[in-house]
Amino acid sequence: DAGVTQSPTHLIKTRGQHVTLRCSPISGHKSVSWYQQVLGQGPQFIFQYYEKEERGRGNFPDRFSARQFPNYSSELNVNALLLGDSALYLCASDGRGNTGELFFGEGSRLTVL
Amino acid sequence: QQQVKQSPQSLIVQKGGIPIINCAYENTAFDYFPWYQQFPGKGPALLIAIRPDVSEKKEGRFTISFNKSAKQFSLHIMDSQPGDSATYFCAEGGGADGLTFGKGTHLIIQP
């Protein structure tokens, strides 16, 4: 079975632009979470979605938004990009939505110039 | 904001040695404490996890020790191998609040 897949794997944007990152969870998993990992740091929680509803949100500005589709795939959107948004964005799926047993994708590496 | 304090930041061990990575947590409301392993260019992968109703859990060469009264937990890697060289993260939490990760330990196992 395929694991969590993310696209694109790498992208470069300039300050002020908008970016959309996509994620497909493991088949049968209904929960998707997004994390930001700055170089040299641990992942930081951004959002959790379960059954297409936002269940949790980390300490990120409103420039960050997400949604989950009927097929449980998800998008993370970031508006008005700042240099500090440069990071690896990780998507994770969870079979039951209430555990920490997260299965991560390989991430989308965003560079903001 | 709650934190998980992880140490050491980096660690070099000879093959066959037992690296030990420690974490201290603040929030006693959570009941799930996982360890993740991350190789360069990859996403983190769940290695082993523990709940506070037990003091130790072993899976293969990996062992978690949990000290609820001290709010600390640690990862031990028995008979370490060069292939264990990676960055290790402890975490706490789960569910709608997400996981809170430590800053990571960069482990090198020398042949």
Side-chain angles (χ1 to χ4, degrees), chain A residues 35 37 40-45 48 55-56 88 90 97-102 104-106, chain B residues 1 32 34 36 38 41-44 46 89 93-99 101-103:
Chain A
Y35 285 78
Q37 187 176 23
Q41 300 291 318
Q44 189 172 358
F45 174 65
Q48 192 215 25
R55 290 295 182 90
L88 180 67
L90 294 162
N98 61 353
T99 75
E101 295 179 0
L102 301 182
F104 283 91
E106 296 194 349
Chain B
Q1 187 173 3
Y32 182 76
Y36 282 80
Q38 186 174 30
K42 302 292 185 180
L46 179 64
F89 295 95
D97 294 321
L99 286 174
F101 284 84
K103 292 187 176 182

PDB file of all heavy atoms in Angstrom, chain A residues 35 37 40-45 48 55-56 88 90 97-102 104-106, chain B residues 1 32 34 36 38 41-44 46 89 93-99 101-103:
ATOM      1  N   TYR A  35       2.368  19.721   9.598  1.00  0.00           N
ATOM      2  CA  TYR A  35       3.426  20.188  10.479  1.00  0.00           C
ATOM      3  C   TYR A  35       4.436  20.984   9.654  1.00  0.00           C
ATOM      4  O   TYR A  35       4.663  20.692   8.475  1.00  0.00           O
ATOM      5  CB  TYR A  35       4.154  19.013  11.137  1.00  0.00           C
ATOM      6  CG  TYR A  35       3.356  18.343  12.239  1.00  0.00           C
ATOM      7  CD1 TYR A  35       2.323  17.460  11.936  1.00  0.00           C
ATOM      8  CD2 TYR A  35       3.631  18.594  13.582  1.00  0.00           C
ATOM      9  CE1 TYR A  35       1.579  16.857  12.940  1.00  0.00           C
ATOM     10  CE2 TYR A  35       2.901  17.986  14.596  1.00  0.00           C
ATOM     11  CZ  TYR A  35       1.877  17.123  14.265  1.00  0.00           C
ATOM     12  OH  TYR A  35       1.141  16.526  15.259  1.00  0.00           O
ATOM     13  N   GLN A  37       8.455  22.024   9.630  1.00  0.00           N
ATOM     14  CA  GLN A  37       9.752  21.695  10.218  1.00  0.00           C
ATOM     15  C   GLN A  37      10.815  22.626   9.659  1.00  0.00           C
ATOM     16  O   GLN A  37      11.227  22.506   8.502  1.00  0.00           O
ATOM     17  CB  GLN A  37      10.133  20.229   9.959  1.00  0.00           C
ATOM     18  CG  GLN A  37      11.388  19.805  10.698  1.00  0.00           C
ATOM     19  CD  GLN A  37      11.728  18.339  10.544  1.00  0.00           C
ATOM     20  OE1 GLN A  37      11.312  17.686   9.592  1.00  0.00           O
ATOM     21  NE2 GLN A  37      12.488  17.786  11.490  1.00  0.00           N
ATOM     22  N   GLY A  40      16.811  22.015  11.327  1.00  0.00           N
ATOM     23  CA  GLY A  40      17.452  21.868  12.629  1.00  0.00           C
ATOM     24  C   GLY A  40      16.503  21.834  13.811  1.00  0.00           C
ATOM     25  O   GLY A  40      16.956  21.793  14.961  1.00  0.00           O
ATOM     26  N   GLN A  41      15.202  21.844  13.534  1.00  0.00           N
ATOM     27  CA  GLN A  41      14.215  21.838  14.610  1.00  0.00           C
ATOM     28  C   GLN A  41      13.260  20.652  14.468  1.00  0.00           C
ATOM     29  O   GLN A  41      13.220  19.994  13.422  1.00  0.00           O
ATOM     30  CB  GLN A  41      13.397  23.134  14.586  1.00  0.00           C
ATOM     31  CG  GLN A  41      14.218  24.394  14.762  1.00  0.00           C
ATOM     32  CD  GLN A  41      14.793  24.528  16.150  1.00  0.00           C
ATOM     33  OE1 GLN A  41      14.122  24.258  17.154  1.00  0.00           O
ATOM     34  NE2 GLN A  41      16.059  24.907  16.241  1.00  0.00           N
ATOM     35  N   GLY A  42      12.474  20.406  15.512  1.00  0.00           N
ATOM     36  CA  GLY A  42      11.441  19.399  15.420  1.00  0.00           C
ATOM     37  C   GLY A  42      10.215  19.927  14.693  1.00  0.00           C
ATOM     38  O   GLY A  42      10.027  21.149  14.590  1.00  0.00           O
ATOM     39  N   PRO A  43       9.384  19.047  14.172  1.00  0.00           N
ATOM     40  CA  PRO A  43       8.150  19.495  13.510  1.00  0.00           C
ATOM     41  C   PRO A  43       7.250  20.257  14.479  1.00  0.00           C
ATOM     42  O   PRO A  43       7.182  19.937  15.664  1.00  0.00           O
ATOM     43  CB  PRO A  43       7.492  18.177  13.071  1.00  0.00           C
ATOM     44  CG  PRO A  43       8.608  17.188  13.006  1.00  0.00           C
ATOM     45  CD  PRO A  43       9.553  17.587  14.098  1.00  0.00           C
ATOM     46  N   GLN A  44       6.547  21.255  13.946  1.00  0.00           N
ATOM     47  CA  GLN A  44       5.624  22.058  14.743  1.00  0.00           C
ATOM     48  C   GLN A  44       4.220  21.926  14.159  1.00  0.00           C
ATOM     49  O   GLN A  44       4.022  22.123  12.955  1.00  0.00           O
ATOM     50  CB  GLN A  44       6.078  23.520  14.762  1.00  0.00           C
ATOM     51  CG  GLN A  44       5.291  24.385  15.737  1.00  0.00           C
ATOM     52  CD  GLN A  44       5.865  25.777  15.889  1.00  0.00           C
ATOM     53  OE1 GLN A  44       6.881  26.110  15.290  1.00  0.00           O
ATOM     54  NE2 GLN A  44       5.219  26.604  16.682  1.00  0.00           N
ATOM     55  N   PHE A  45       3.257  21.631  15.016  1.00  0.00           N
ATOM     56  CA  PHE A  45       1.884  21.362  14.613  1.00  0.00           C
ATOM     57  C   PHE A  45       1.205  22.599  14.039  1.00  0.00           C
ATOM     58  O   PHE A  45       1.220  23.678  14.649  1.00  0.00           O
ATOM     59  CB  PHE A  45       1.111  20.849  15.827  1.00  0.00           C
ATOM     60  CG  PHE A  45      -0.361  20.656  15.616  1.00  0.00           C
ATOM     61  CD1 PHE A  45      -0.829  19.701  14.729  1.00  0.00           C
ATOM     62  CD2 PHE A  45      -1.293  21.415  16.324  1.00  0.00           C
ATOM     63  CE1 PHE A  45      -2.175  19.506  14.549  1.00  0.00           C
ATOM     64  CE2 PHE A  45      -2.643  21.223  16.148  1.00  0.00           C
ATOM     65  CZ  PHE A  45      -3.096  20.273  15.256  1.00  0.00           C
ATOM     66  N   GLN A  48      -4.958  19.920  12.337  1.00  0.00           N
ATOM     67  CA  GLN A  48      -5.437  18.571  12.190  1.00  0.00           C
ATOM     68  C   GLN A  48      -6.850  18.595  11.630  1.00  0.00           C
ATOM     69  O   GLN A  48      -7.693  19.378  12.094  1.00  0.00           O
ATOM     70  CB  GLN A  48      -5.449  17.786  13.507  1.00  0.00           C
ATOM     71  CG  GLN A  48      -5.674  16.292  13.265  1.00  0.00           C
ATOM     72  CD  GLN A  48      -6.500  15.595  14.340  1.00  0.00           C
ATOM     73  OE1 GLN A  48      -7.294  16.221  15.034  1.00  0.00           O
ATOM     74  NE2 GLN A  48      -6.316  14.302  14.472  1.00  0.00           N
ATOM     75  N   ARG A  55     -10.085  19.929  13.450  1.00  0.00           N
ATOM     76  CA  ARG A  55     -10.191  19.490  14.835  1.00  0.00           C
ATOM     77  C   ARG A  55      -9.187  20.199  15.741  1.00  0.00           C
ATOM     78  O   ARG A  55      -9.388  20.272  16.950  1.00  0.00           O
ATOM     79  CB  ARG A  55      -9.982  17.982  14.937  1.00  0.00           C
ATOM     80  CG  ARG A  55     -11.110  17.170  14.340  1.00  0.00           C
ATOM     81  CD  ARG A  55     -12.408  17.353  15.102  1.00  0.00           C
ATOM     82  NE  ARG A  55     -13.501  16.562  14.583  1.00  0.00           N
ATOM     83  CZ  ARG A  55     -13.795  15.333  14.981  1.00  0.00           C
ATOM     84  NH1 ARG A  55     -13.059  14.745  15.898  1.00  0.00           N
ATOM     85  NH2 ARG A  55     -14.819  14.693  14.459  1.00  0.00           N
ATOM     86  N   GLY A  56      -8.130  20.711  15.161  1.00  0.00           N
ATOM     87  CA  GLY A  56      -7.128  21.366  15.983  1.00  0.00           C
ATOM     88  C   GLY A  56      -6.282  22.296  15.151  1.00  0.00           C
ATOM     89  O   GLY A  56      -6.128  22.111  13.942  1.00  0.00           O
ATOM     90  N   LEU A  88      10.335  22.715   5.712  1.00  0.00           N
ATOM     91  CA  LEU A  88       9.782  21.466   5.193  1.00  0.00           C
ATOM     92  C   LEU A  88       8.385  21.326   5.766  1.00  0.00           C
ATOM     93  O   LEU A  88       8.198  21.365   6.991  1.00  0.00           O
ATOM     94  CB  LEU A  88      10.653  20.288   5.636  1.00  0.00           C
ATOM     95  CG  LEU A  88      10.216  18.892   5.169  1.00  0.00           C
ATOM     96  CD1 LEU A  88      10.363  18.762   3.649  1.00  0.00           C
ATOM     97  CD2 LEU A  88      11.036  17.813   5.874  1.00  0.00           C
ATOM     98  N   LEU A  90       5.292  19.029   6.393  1.00  0.00           N
ATOM     99  CA  LEU A  90       5.007  17.607   6.503  1.00  0.00           C
ATOM    100  C   LEU A  90       3.515  17.363   6.689  1.00  0.00           C
ATOM    101  O   LEU A  90       2.856  18.046   7.463  1.00  0.00           O
ATOM    102  CB  LEU A  90       5.760  17.027   7.711  1.00  0.00           C
ATOM    103  CG  LEU A  90       7.285  17.029   7.617  1.00  0.00           C
ATOM    104  CD1 LEU A  90       7.901  16.867   9.003  1.00  0.00           C
ATOM    105  CD2 LEU A  90       7.764  15.928   6.695  1.00  0.00           C
ATOM    106  N   GLY A  97      -7.499   9.154  14.150  1.00  0.00           N
ATOM    107  CA  GLY A  97      -7.685  10.585  14.385  1.00  0.00           C
ATOM    108  C   GLY A  97      -7.511  11.033  15.804  1.00  0.00           C
ATOM    109  O   GLY A  97      -7.625  12.209  16.104  1.00  0.00           O
ATOM    110  N   ASN A  98      -7.232  10.137  16.700  1.00  0.00           N
ATOM    111  CA  ASN A  98      -7.101  10.550  18.093  1.00  0.00           C
ATOM    112  C   ASN A  98      -5.890   9.942  18.766  1.00  0.00           C
ATOM    113  O   ASN A  98      -5.835   9.842  19.982  1.00  0.00           O
ATOM    114  CB  ASN A  98      -8.360  10.161  18.869  1.00  0.00           C
ATOM    115  CG  ASN A  98      -8.591   8.656  18.872  1.00  0.00           C
ATOM    116  OD1 ASN A  98      -7.888   7.930  18.181  1.00  0.00           O
ATOM    117  ND2 ASN A  98      -9.541   8.205  19.637  1.00  0.00           N
ATOM    118  N   THR A  99      -4.933   9.546  17.971  1.00  0.00           N
ATOM    119  CA  THR A  99      -3.706   8.981  18.531  1.00  0.00           C
ATOM    120  C   THR A  99      -2.517   9.803  18.064  1.00  0.00           C
ATOM    121  O   THR A  99      -2.644  10.691  17.241  1.00  0.00           O
ATOM    122  CB  THR A  99      -3.494   7.528  18.073  1.00  0.00           C
ATOM    123  OG1 THR A  99      -3.059   7.532  16.711  1.00  0.00           O
ATOM    124  CG2 THR A  99      -4.777   6.734  18.166  1.00  0.00           C
ATOM    125  N   GLY A 100      -1.383   9.512  18.574  1.00  0.00           N
ATOM    126  CA  GLY A 100      -0.169  10.155  18.091  1.00  0.00           C
ATOM    127  C   GLY A 100       0.552   9.278  17.091  1.00  0.00           C
ATOM    128  O   GLY A 100       1.666   9.593  16.699  1.00  0.00           O
ATOM    129  N   GLU A 101      -0.083   8.193  16.658  1.00  0.00           N
ATOM    130  CA  GLU A 101       0.574   7.271  15.731  1.00  0.00           C
ATOM    131  C   GLU A 101       0.465   7.829  14.317  1.00  0.00           C
ATOM    132  O   GLU A 101      -0.351   7.402  13.509  1.00  0.00           O
ATOM    133  CB  GLU A 101      -0.057   5.883  15.825  1.00  0.00           C
ATOM    134  CG  GLU A 101       0.149   5.238  17.186  1.00  0.00           C
ATOM    135  CD  GLU A 101      -0.501   3.883  17.285  1.00  0.00           C
ATOM    136  OE1 GLU A 101      -1.119   3.420  16.308  1.00  0.00           O
ATOM    137  OE2 GLU A 101      -0.411   3.275  18.367  1.00  0.00           O
ATOM    138  N   LEU A 102       1.283   8.830  14.083  1.00  0.00           N
ATOM    139  CA  LEU A 102       1.237   9.529  12.813  1.00  0.00           C
ATOM    140  C   LEU A 102       2.167   8.886  11.810  1.00  0.00           C
ATOM    141  O   LEU A 102       3.296   8.508  12.129  1.00  0.00           O
ATOM    142  CB  LEU A 102       1.632  10.991  13.010  1.00  0.00           C
ATOM    143  CG  LEU A 102       0.771  11.799  13.977  1.00  0.00           C
ATOM    144  CD1 LEU A 102       1.265  13.230  14.028  1.00  0.00           C
ATOM    145  CD2 LEU A 102      -0.696  11.746  13.603  1.00  0.00           C
ATOM    146  N   PHE A 104       4.027   9.930   8.507  1.00  0.00           N
ATOM    147  CA  PHE A 104       4.403  11.142   7.791  1.00  0.00           C
ATOM    148  C   PHE A 104       4.764  10.846   6.342  1.00  0.00           C
ATOM    149  O   PHE A 104       5.325   9.788   6.016  1.00  0.00           O
ATOM    150  CB  PHE A 104       5.613  11.800   8.452  1.00  0.00           C
ATOM    151  CG  PHE A 104       5.290  12.553   9.710  1.00  0.00           C
ATOM    152  CD1 PHE A 104       5.335  11.931  10.939  1.00  0.00           C
ATOM    153  CD2 PHE A 104       4.952  13.901   9.663  1.00  0.00           C
ATOM    154  CE1 PHE A 104       5.050  12.617  12.111  1.00  0.00           C
ATOM    155  CE2 PHE A 104       4.664  14.601  10.823  1.00  0.00           C
ATOM    156  CZ  PHE A 104       4.714  13.954  12.050  1.00  0.00           C
ATOM    157  N   GLY A 105       4.474  11.828   5.485  1.00  0.00           N
ATOM    158  CA  GLY A 105       5.005  11.819   4.141  1.00  0.00           C
ATOM    159  C   GLY A 105       6.422  12.365   4.140  1.00  0.00           C
ATOM    160  O   GLY A 105       6.972  12.703   5.208  1.00  0.00           O
ATOM    161  N   GLU A 106       7.023  12.474   2.968  1.00  0.00           N
ATOM    162  CA  GLU A 106       8.402  12.952   2.891  1.00  0.00           C
ATOM    163  C   GLU A 106       8.497  14.468   2.853  1.00  0.00           C
ATOM    164  O   GLU A 106       9.594  15.011   2.913  1.00  0.00           O
ATOM    165  CB  GLU A 106       9.109  12.320   1.694  1.00  0.00           C
ATOM    166  CG  GLU A 106       9.231  10.798   1.848  1.00  0.00           C
ATOM    167  CD  GLU A 106      10.209  10.189   0.871  1.00  0.00           C
ATOM    168  OE1 GLU A 106      10.648  10.886  -0.067  1.00  0.00           O
ATOM    169  OE2 GLU A 106      10.543   9.006   1.048  1.00  0.00           O
TER     170      GLU A 106
ATOM    171  N   GLN B   1       3.835  28.316  26.330  1.00  0.00           N
ATOM    172  CA  GLN B   1       3.584  27.174  25.443  1.00  0.00           C
ATOM    173  C   GLN B   1       4.324  25.951  25.982  1.00  0.00           C
ATOM    174  O   GLN B   1       5.457  26.041  26.423  1.00  0.00           O
ATOM    175  CB  GLN B   1       4.077  27.493  24.031  1.00  0.00           C
ATOM    176  CG  GLN B   1       3.721  26.461  22.997  1.00  0.00           C
ATOM    177  CD  GLN B   1       4.088  26.899  21.598  1.00  0.00           C
ATOM    178  OE1 GLN B   1       4.660  27.961  21.403  1.00  0.00           O
ATOM    179  NE2 GLN B   1       3.772  26.094  20.609  1.00  0.00           N
ATOM    180  N   TYR B  32       0.503  10.048  25.882  1.00  0.00           N
ATOM    181  CA  TYR B  32       1.105   9.342  24.760  1.00  0.00           C
ATOM    182  C   TYR B  32       2.443   9.969  24.465  1.00  0.00           C
ATOM    183  O   TYR B  32       2.533  11.186  24.264  1.00  0.00           O
ATOM    184  CB  TYR B  32       0.178   9.423  23.545  1.00  0.00           C
ATOM    185  CG  TYR B  32       0.686   8.671  22.341  1.00  0.00           C
ATOM    186  CD1 TYR B  32       0.611   7.290  22.263  1.00  0.00           C
ATOM    187  CD2 TYR B  32       1.266   9.357  21.271  1.00  0.00           C
ATOM    188  CE1 TYR B  32       1.091   6.609  21.163  1.00  0.00           C
ATOM    189  CE2 TYR B  32       1.739   8.683  20.173  1.00  0.00           C
ATOM    190  CZ  TYR B  32       1.647   7.303  20.114  1.00  0.00           C
ATOM    191  OH  TYR B  32       2.105   6.624  19.032  1.00  0.00           O
ATOM    192  N   PRO B  34       5.645   9.301  22.063  1.00  0.00           N
ATOM    193  CA  PRO B  34       6.313   8.550  21.002  1.00  0.00           C
ATOM    194  C   PRO B  34       7.733   9.048  20.737  1.00  0.00           C
ATOM    195  O   PRO B  34       8.106  10.170  21.107  1.00  0.00           O
ATOM    196  CB  PRO B  34       5.432   8.832  19.786  1.00  0.00           C
ATOM    197  CG  PRO B  34       4.925  10.224  20.025  1.00  0.00           C
ATOM    198  CD  PRO B  34       4.817  10.377  21.531  1.00  0.00           C
ATOM    199  N   TYR B  36      10.268   9.391  17.299  1.00  0.00           N
ATOM    200  CA  TYR B  36      10.323   9.327  15.851  1.00  0.00           C
ATOM    201  C   TYR B  36      11.771   9.343  15.409  1.00  0.00           C
ATOM    202  O   TYR B  36      12.628   9.973  16.020  1.00  0.00           O
ATOM    203  CB  TYR B  36       9.565  10.506  15.226  1.00  0.00           C
ATOM    204  CG  TYR B  36       8.068  10.322  15.227  1.00  0.00           C
ATOM    205  CD1 TYR B  36       7.315  10.572  16.364  1.00  0.00           C
ATOM    206  CD2 TYR B  36       7.419   9.880  14.079  1.00  0.00           C
ATOM    207  CE1 TYR B  36       5.940  10.384  16.352  1.00  0.00           C
ATOM    208  CE2 TYR B  36       6.049   9.691  14.063  1.00  0.00           C
ATOM    209  CZ  TYR B  36       5.314   9.943  15.202  1.00  0.00           C
ATOM    210  OH  TYR B  36       3.960   9.750  15.197  1.00  0.00           O
ATOM    211  N   GLN B  38      14.202  10.132  12.006  1.00  0.00           N
ATOM    212  CA  GLN B  38      14.176  10.825  10.717  1.00  0.00           C
ATOM    213  C   GLN B  38      15.536  10.743  10.047  1.00  0.00           C
ATOM    214  O   GLN B  38      16.547  11.160  10.615  1.00  0.00           O
ATOM    215  CB  GLN B  38      13.758  12.287  10.895  1.00  0.00           C
ATOM    216  CG  GLN B  38      13.563  13.024   9.578  1.00  0.00           C
ATOM    217  CD  GLN B  38      13.012  14.432   9.779  1.00  0.00           C
ATOM    218  OE1 GLN B  38      13.262  15.071  10.791  1.00  0.00           O
ATOM    219  NE2 GLN B  38      12.253  14.922   8.808  1.00  0.00           N
ATOM    220  N   GLY B  41      16.281  13.946   4.259  1.00  0.00           N
ATOM    221  CA  GLY B  41      15.427  13.937   3.082  1.00  0.00           C
ATOM    222  C   GLY B  41      14.145  13.133   3.228  1.00  0.00           C
ATOM    223  O   GLY B  41      13.386  12.998   2.268  1.00  0.00           O
ATOM    224  N   LYS B  42      13.914  12.610   4.405  1.00  0.00           N
ATOM    225  CA  LYS B  42      12.716  11.796   4.651  1.00  0.00           C
ATOM    226  C   LYS B  42      11.853  12.425   5.734  1.00  0.00           C
ATOM    227  O   LYS B  42      12.310  13.259   6.508  1.00  0.00           O
ATOM    228  CB  LYS B  42      13.111  10.381   5.085  1.00  0.00           C
ATOM    229  CG  LYS B  42      13.981   9.628   4.092  1.00  0.00           C
ATOM    230  CD  LYS B  42      13.228   9.291   2.833  1.00  0.00           C
ATOM    231  CE  LYS B  42      14.064   8.424   1.906  1.00  0.00           C
ATOM    232  NZ  LYS B  42      13.335   8.082   0.651  1.00  0.00           N
ATOM    233  N   GLY B  43      10.585  12.001   5.794  1.00  0.00           N
ATOM    234  CA  GLY B  43       9.740  12.409   6.894  1.00  0.00           C
ATOM    235  C   GLY B  43      10.017  11.570   8.121  1.00  0.00           C
ATOM    236  O   GLY B  43      10.595  10.481   8.035  1.00  0.00           O
ATOM    237  N   PRO B  44       9.617  12.054   9.294  1.00  0.00           N
ATOM    238  CA  PRO B  44       9.808  11.261  10.521  1.00  0.00           C
ATOM    239  C   PRO B  44       9.018   9.964  10.456  1.00  0.00           C
ATOM    240  O   PRO B  44       7.918   9.919   9.898  1.00  0.00           O
ATOM    241  CB  PRO B  44       9.261  12.176  11.613  1.00  0.00           C
ATOM    242  CG  PRO B  44       9.238  13.539  11.015  1.00  0.00           C
ATOM    243  CD  PRO B  44       8.998  13.348   9.555  1.00  0.00           C
ATOM    244  N   LEU B  46       7.556   6.746  12.933  1.00  0.00           N
ATOM    245  CA  LEU B  46       7.320   6.304  14.310  1.00  0.00           C
ATOM    246  C   LEU B  46       8.195   5.102  14.620  1.00  0.00           C
ATOM    247  O   LEU B  46       8.200   4.107  13.897  1.00  0.00           O
ATOM    248  CB  LEU B  46       5.849   5.955  14.493  1.00  0.00           C
ATOM    249  CG  LEU B  46       5.449   5.448  15.876  1.00  0.00           C
ATOM    250  CD1 LEU B  46       5.673   6.532  16.930  1.00  0.00           C
ATOM    251  CD2 LEU B  46       3.993   5.001  15.876  1.00  0.00           C
ATOM    252  N   PHE B  89      13.564  12.224  17.473  1.00  0.00           N
ATOM    253  CA  PHE B  89      12.699  13.205  18.122  1.00  0.00           C
ATOM    254  C   PHE B  89      11.793  12.516  19.133  1.00  0.00           C
ATOM    255  O   PHE B  89      11.151  11.506  18.810  1.00  0.00           O
ATOM    256  CB  PHE B  89      11.802  13.914  17.106  1.00  0.00           C
ATOM    257  CG  PHE B  89      12.525  14.756  16.099  1.00  0.00           C
ATOM    258  CD1 PHE B  89      12.853  14.256  14.852  1.00  0.00           C
ATOM    259  CD2 PHE B  89      12.872  16.067  16.403  1.00  0.00           C
ATOM    260  CE1 PHE B  89      13.515  15.033  13.923  1.00  0.00           C
ATOM    261  CE2 PHE B  89      13.531  16.857  15.475  1.00  0.00           C
ATOM    262  CZ  PHE B  89      13.861  16.340  14.238  1.00  0.00           C
ATOM    263  N   GLY B  93       1.693  14.106  23.408  1.00  0.00           N
ATOM    264  CA  GLY B  93       0.393  14.622  22.989  1.00  0.00           C
ATOM    265  C   GLY B  93      -0.308  13.719  22.010  1.00  0.00           C
ATOM    266  O   GLY B  93      -0.314  12.507  22.159  1.00  0.00           O
ATOM    267  N   GLY B  94      -0.898  14.327  20.999  1.00  0.00           N
ATOM    268  CA  GLY B  94      -1.665  13.587  20.017  1.00  0.00           C
ATOM    269  C   GLY B  94      -3.092  14.083  19.944  1.00  0.00           C
ATOM    270  O   GLY B  94      -3.534  14.904  20.744  1.00  0.00           O
ATOM    271  N   GLY B  95      -3.820  13.580  18.976  1.00  0.00           N
ATOM    272  CA  GLY B  95      -5.209  13.987  18.808  1.00  0.00           C
ATOM    273  C   GLY B  95      -5.324  15.401  18.259  1.00  0.00           C
ATOM    274  O   GLY B  95      -4.470  15.851  17.499  1.00  0.00           O
ATOM    275  N   ALA B  96      -6.356  16.101  18.664  1.00  0.00           N
ATOM    276  CA  ALA B  96      -6.644  17.410  18.099  1.00  0.00           C
ATOM    277  C   ALA B  96      -5.597  18.461  18.460  1.00  0.00           C
ATOM    278  O   ALA B  96      -5.460  19.464  17.767  1.00  0.00           O
ATOM    279  CB  ALA B  96      -8.020  17.883  18.560  1.00  0.00           C
ATOM    280  N   ASP B  97      -4.870  18.244  19.539  1.00  0.00           N
ATOM    281  CA  ASP B  97      -3.824  19.203  19.919  1.00  0.00           C
ATOM    282  C   ASP B  97      -2.515  18.949  19.198  1.00  0.00           C
ATOM    283  O   ASP B  97      -1.558  19.704  19.362  1.00  0.00           O
ATOM    284  CB  ASP B  97      -3.571  19.142  21.419  1.00  0.00           C
ATOM    285  CG  ASP B  97      -4.773  19.612  22.215  1.00  0.00           C
ATOM    286  OD1 ASP B  97      -5.419  20.582  21.765  1.00  0.00           O
ATOM    287  OD2 ASP B  97      -5.067  19.012  23.263  1.00  0.00           O
ATOM    288  N   GLY B  98      -2.451  17.907  18.403  1.00  0.00           N
ATOM    289  CA  GLY B  98      -1.232  17.581  17.697  1.00  0.00           C
ATOM    290  C   GLY B  98      -0.130  17.115  18.635  1.00  0.00           C
ATOM    291  O   GLY B  98      -0.293  17.087  19.856  1.00  0.00           O
ATOM    292  N   LEU B  99       0.977  16.724  18.049  1.00  0.00           N
ATOM    293  CA  LEU B  99       2.145  16.322  18.822  1.00  0.00           C
ATOM    294  C   LEU B  99       3.060  17.518  19.031  1.00  0.00           C
ATOM    295  O   LEU B  99       3.250  18.325  18.121  1.00  0.00           O
ATOM    296  CB  LEU B  99       2.922  15.234  18.097  1.00  0.00           C
ATOM    297  CG  LEU B  99       2.317  13.824  18.086  1.00  0.00           C
ATOM    298  CD1 LEU B  99       3.143  12.916  17.188  1.00  0.00           C
ATOM    299  CD2 LEU B  99       2.223  13.254  19.480  1.00  0.00           C
ATOM    300  N   PHE B 101       6.893  18.249  19.590  1.00  0.00           N
ATOM    301  CA  PHE B 101       8.153  17.554  19.400  1.00  0.00           C
ATOM    302  C   PHE B 101       9.286  18.266  20.144  1.00  0.00           C
ATOM    303  O   PHE B 101       9.273  19.487  20.308  1.00  0.00           O
ATOM    304  CB  PHE B 101       8.518  17.518  17.909  1.00  0.00           C
ATOM    305  CG  PHE B 101       7.742  16.522  17.107  1.00  0.00           C
ATOM    306  CD1 PHE B 101       6.488  16.835  16.615  1.00  0.00           C
ATOM    307  CD2 PHE B 101       8.275  15.273  16.831  1.00  0.00           C
ATOM    308  CE1 PHE B 101       5.765  15.920  15.863  1.00  0.00           C
ATOM    309  CE2 PHE B 101       7.566  14.346  16.083  1.00  0.00           C
ATOM    310  CZ  PHE B 101       6.307  14.672  15.593  1.00  0.00           C
ATOM    311  N   GLY B 102      10.290  17.467  20.560  1.00  0.00           N
ATOM    312  CA  GLY B 102      11.534  18.037  21.013  1.00  0.00           C
ATOM    313  C   GLY B 102      12.334  18.565  19.821  1.00  0.00           C
ATOM    314  O   GLY B 102      11.916  18.407  18.662  1.00  0.00           O
ATOM    315  N   LYS B 103      13.493  19.164  20.091  1.00  0.00           N
ATOM    316  CA  LYS B 103      14.286  19.770  19.027  1.00  0.00           C
ATOM    317  C   LYS B 103      15.152  18.753  18.290  1.00  0.00           C
ATOM    318  O   LYS B 103      15.773  19.096  17.280  1.00  0.00           O
ATOM    319  CB  LYS B 103      15.154  20.890  19.591  1.00  0.00           C
ATOM    320  CG  LYS B 103      14.345  22.093  20.054  1.00  0.00           C
ATOM    321  CD  LYS B 103      15.238  23.254  20.454  1.00  0.00           C
ATOM    322  CE  LYS B 103      14.383  24.471  20.812  1.00  0.00           C
ATOM    323  NZ  LYS B 103      15.220  25.650  21.170  1.00  0.00           N
TER     324      LYS B 103
END
